[in-house]
Amino acid sequence: MSEKKINLKIITHEKEVYNEDVDAVYSKGVDGEFGILPDHIPFMSALDIGVTRVEKNGEMEFITTMGGIFQFKDNNALILTDTAEKGSDIDVTRAKAAKERAEARVGSQDVEIDNARAQIALAKALARLKAALKNN
């Protein structure tokens, strides 16, 4: 008996980060988290900065998705995003350093610091760390 799958593609401007048949996809839209199983009704969402969780053969894989768009139709899921990284490919030391720099900027009283950009940098660093640490 063949079990239905979802073909998930995650594509950035530079490359195709992921292209696999999976059992389920969970991600973070701007309106909250959502999950998709095979035969879900067509669905589209703007993505927030976060971690997309992919279930495949009983295993979970974590991939950062830094905004973008999610589309699902006919068991094909597509994520178009500016940046995406598999958790297993993330340099944890570098991600921790980026988090510390972003936290320092967010807490700074320096008028030269763009607080909104610092908040985005912090969210990206936290997503990268979450994906990396869950994959290990």
Side-chain angles (χ1 to χ4, degrees):
M1 180 169 117
S2 77
E3 209 175 291
K4 287 194 176 184
K5 300 280 187 176
I6 296 169
N7 178 256
L8 172 64
K9 291 182 183 178
I10 301 175
I11 301 171
T12 68
H13 298 291
E14 291 85 32
K15 64 182 179 177
E16 185 176 83
V17 175
Y18 195 88
N19 186 355
E20 301 278 336
D21 288 336
V22 302
D23 300 310
V25 180
Y26 305 93
S27 198
K28 183 180 179 186
V30 294
D31 294 325
E33 293 194 14
F34 61 87
I36 301 290
L37 298 172
D39 294 331
H40 195 286
I41 62 169
F43 178 78
M44 180 181 262
S45 177
L47 293 177
D48 202 351
I49 295 169
V51 177
T52 295
R53 300 180 318 277
V54 178
E55 185 177 343
K56 182 179 175 186
N57 301 323
E59 300 284 320
M60 290 296 268
E61 192 168 357
F62 301 87
I63 304 161
T64 62
T65 44
M66 305 300 182
I69 192 110
F70 177 92
Q71 296 177 329
F72 180 81
K73 185 178 180 186
D74 299 329
N75 289 329
N76 290 296
L78 174 64
I79 294 176
L80 300 173
T81 182
D82 289 333
T83 306
E85 283 180 282
K86 291 181 183 179
S88 56
D89 295 340
I90 294 172
D91 180 340
V92 174
T93 304
R94 189 169 158 242
K96 284 182 181 178
K99 175 184 169 272
E100 290 168 7
R101 285 191 309 274
E103 286 174 335
R105 287 194 310 262
V106 167
S108 174
Q109 298 301 319
D110 187 343
V111 293
E112 299 292 317
I113 302 279
D114 181 346
N115 196 46
R117 284 184 54 198
Q119 291 283 353
I120 290 169
L122 180 57
K124 287 180 177 182
L126 291 171
R128 292 180 78 235
L129 281 171
K130 183 177 179 182
L133 297 175
K134 293 219 179 208
N135 264 325
N136 292 330

